[in-house]
Amino acid sequence: MASERTEELTGAEGGRWIVTTLSSTYRFDLDAMTVTRIPGEGASRTVNDRTRPLREIVRCGVGARGYWLMNPEDDESAFVENYWQLSTTIQSIAPAPAE
């Protein structure tokens, strides 16, 4: 498990991370290669408000908007090639607490 805050995630770090933005929180599990969006108060709801298989982190750094690609679930793959997320400005990236 990761033990220190970081300024950026690339996907190579492994471990579980909490990425907090201006309006939502994202739980990255880089061992399982999944990401879960948890909308904050007043944030719009989206199709990404669930755990999705993470395809690629394009950018995820404190002080900028995050952008990553996600694979569809098997039952969605006939309709969608991939999902994408453009977050609001990232405020912090911290290790996720043990579950």
Side-chain angles (χ1 to χ4, degrees):
M1 180 175 120
S3 61
E4 298 180 15
R5 288 181 177 265
T6 187
E7 293 294 307
E8 180 180 23
L9 291 180
T10 65
E13 299 82 0
R16 295 185 193 111
W17 298 89
I18 300 295
V19 174
T20 303
T21 71
L22 288 173
S23 63
S24 296
T25 302
Y26 299 85
R27 178 178 285 276
F28 282 82
D29 183 335
L30 298 180
D31 295 330
M33 289 303 288
T34 60
V35 61
T36 306
R37 179 178 185 259
I38 304 155
E41 189 175 323
S44 298
R45 303 299 188 246
T46 77
V47 297
N48 293 329
D49 294 351
R50 58 184 284 188
T51 300
R52 291 205 177 273
L54 184 62
R55 177 181 283 187
E56 174 187 3
I57 296 175
V58 178
R59 70 176 175 266
C60 183
V62 173
R65 296 179 80 176
Y67 181 62
W68 44 88
L69 303 175
M70 298 158 292
N71 291 321
E73 297 292 338
D74 290 339
D75 62 335
E76 302 169 312
S77 62
F79 309 104
V80 177
E81 184 175 330
N82 63 29
Y83 288 97
W84 56 271
Q85 180 69 51
L86 180 62
S87 76
T88 55
T89 302
I90 295 171
Q91 304 298 297
S92 66
I93 302 172
E99 294 181 357

